Amino acid sequence: MKKVITLLLLCLTLPLAAQENKSLIDKALEYVQKDSLPQAEQLYKKAINASTNEKDNVKLYCSLALIQRQMKHYADAADSYTYALKVEPQSVSILLKRGAIYVAQGLASTALSDYNEALRLQPENKEALTVRAFLLFKRGEYAKARDDYHHLRLLDPNNFDARLGLALLAQKDKDFRSAMEQLNT
């Protein structure tokens, strides 16, 4: 009899836990709308701790990271995206967001790893190509940056970032005519 009662209570508490989690998320969204980000952050953390569904946690961690990024808590945001990537390691979107956090922190090498992985998963991703080319340019890896900018131009012949990057590379090579042609185009 005790087993039956325990099972019934467990079945009743699962929907209650899901409902409680939904109310935590709704309240967190209200705080976000009021620009009360620290309170929203705490509620998202409570929702994550209360959740047992890994897929739901990915969304919660991404929402938490966005709030942490807005508060300029970059290390915390990177950690939140990392937790989300543990569940969805093939998520290009999350890789790009974490890469952007690493760029904001000045961790170019770490960011480059995320952009490389994103491009391994989606070789035609324009955002990843653009940022990786920029990071490679900053590191002085001009040939690799040029390859990314050319790839970007193949995908989008009028891409402003690709043309600007190629113009800067031409300027580095002291090919001012080519640089001017890129800029004029």
Side-chain angles (χ1 to χ4, degrees):
M1 187 66 166
K2 285 184 183 181
K3 288 181 183 179
V4 173
I5 293 172
T6 305
L7 184 60
L8 284 172
L9 286 175
L10 182 61
C11 290
L12 290 173
T13 57
L14 287 176
L16 289 175
Q19 184 62 35
E20 180 184 335
N21 219 24
K22 184 179 176 347
S23 89
L24 285 171
I25 295 166
D26 290 344
K27 188 71 172 168
L29 289 172
E30 287 177 27
Y31 279 123
V32 168
Q33 289 174 347
K34 294 177 186 174
D35 207 25
S36 299
L37 300 181
Q39 290 86 350
E41 178 185 30
Q42 291 309 312
L43 288 173
Y44 272 114
K45 286 179 179 178
K46 283 183 183 177
I48 289 167
N49 289 332
S51 176
T52 57
N53 184 333
E54 284 188 335
K55 292 290 183 187
D56 287 344
N57 278 354
V58 168
K59 295 173 189 170
L60 292 172
Y61 273 118
C62 288
S63 296
L64 175 62
L66 182 61
I67 289 168
Q68 291 166 328
R69 182 179 182 178
Q70 288 176 322
M71 293 190 304
K72 297 189 182 351
H73 298 167
Y74 297 126
D76 292 336
D79 288 344
S80 294
Y81 284 130
T82 299
Y83 287 122
L85 282 167
K86 286 180 181 177
V87 178
E88 288 190 26
Q90 306 278 313
S91 174
V92 171
S93 172
I94 297 172
L95 282 165
L96 294 176
K97 290 173 184 169
R98 187 176 70 175
I101 295 292
Y102 289 144
V103 169
Q105 288 180 285
L107 302 171
S109 295
T110 309
L112 202 51
S113 296
D114 279 354
Y115 290 107
N116 286 335
E117 180 62 13
L119 286 166
R120 186 188 69 74
L121 296 167
Q122 280 183 3
E124 310 296 302
N125 189 294
K126 292 178 189 176
E127 179 183 348
L129 278 168
T130 302
V131 178
R132 185 173 77 173
F134 171 75
L135 292 172
L136 291 169
F137 180 87
K138 281 182 61 175
R139 289 174 62 153
E141 296 182 41
Y142 302 129
K144 290 179 181 178
R146 185 175 282 109
D147 289 344
D148 278 354
Y149 285 131
H150 281 301
H151 189 172
L152 199 51
R153 289 244 359 248
L154 286 173
L155 297 173
D156 181 5
N158 296 319
N159 186 289
F160 176 80
D161 293 317
R163 289 184 180 276
L164 181 60
L166 289 169
L168 291 171
L169 286 165
Q171 185 179 9
K172 282 276 184 201
D173 294 339
K174 303 212 184 307
D175 183 358
F176 300 113
R177 180 181 301 279
S178 178
M180 287 305 293
E181 286 173 9
Q182 286 291 341
L183 291 174
N184 288 334
T185 303

